[in-house]
Amino acid sequence: MKTCRSCGVEKSLSEFHKRSDTGRRQNACKTCYHSAQLYRNYGITLDDYDRMYEEQNGVCAICSLPQLSKRNTRLCVDHDHDTGEVRGLLCDSCNRGIGLLKDDPRLLERAAQYIRTSKD
């Protein structure tokens, strides 16, 4: 058992991520760690994330599938890299796809057109 330094609740060790550098457990539990990461990276709270997740019925805003990646179990927070504005939650594949196309709607449209014409 270990006490989370953020929420002060005593939890089992499985509730704490292992540090890659030392192999020891983080000082904040997984929930508090995730909450701090959301706020630091996107300016949203865990409640904001949960609300978006519920509004999207737990699926990706693009492909309407749940997160299938074994690497990342939560939907990714998608945001505009220029403004920082959060747009929604995406699965790992859709998030990477639009990122690799530089979040550029013209490139995304051209890619869609390319796929459409190559199927003829």
Side-chain angles (χ1 to χ4, degrees):
M1 296 294 282
K2 181 178 174 116
T3 302
C4 173
R5 82 165 168 206
S6 295
C7 65
V9 176
E10 187 175 36
K11 300 181 178 187
S12 69
L13 289 178
S14 65
E15 292 297 314
F16 296 83
H17 290 293
K18 266 189 180 178
R19 292 176 51 126
S20 59
D21 56 348
T22 65
R24 298 177 71 194
R25 300 289 175 164
Q26 296 272 1
N27 290 321
C29 68
K30 290 176 181 179
T31 301
C32 291
Y33 179 81
H34 180 60
S35 181
Q37 217 175 18
L38 285 171
Y39 192 76
R40 181 175 53 251
N41 294 336
Y42 309 109
I44 65 171
T45 65
L46 189 53
D47 287 340
D48 294 330
Y49 179 93
D50 291 340
R51 180 184 43 74
M52 286 189 292
Y53 187 86
E54 290 300 318
E55 288 172 359
Q56 291 182 207
N57 297 314
V59 296
C60 173
I62 293 176
C63 70
S64 299
L65 293 174
Q67 178 67 283
L68 301 174
S69 169
K70 289 185 173 67
R71 183 184 73 84
N72 190 0
T73 57
R74 291 187 170 100
L75 288 171
C76 305
V77 177
D78 176 46
H79 67 289
D80 184 308
H81 288 254
D82 294 329
T83 66
E85 183 180 344
V86 172
R87 296 184 284 219
L89 304 177
L90 302 178
C91 71
D92 198 43
S93 295
C94 289
N95 190 48
R96 287 172 181 257
I98 66 171
L100 290 170
L101 289 171
K102 303 172 187 81
D103 290 4
D104 185 335
R106 291 169 298 173
L107 286 177
L108 290 163
E109 289 165 5
R110 287 176 63 188
Q113 185 59 35
Y114 171 79
I115 292 169
R116 282 187 206 101
T117 57
S118 68
K119 297 224 180 222
D120 293 339

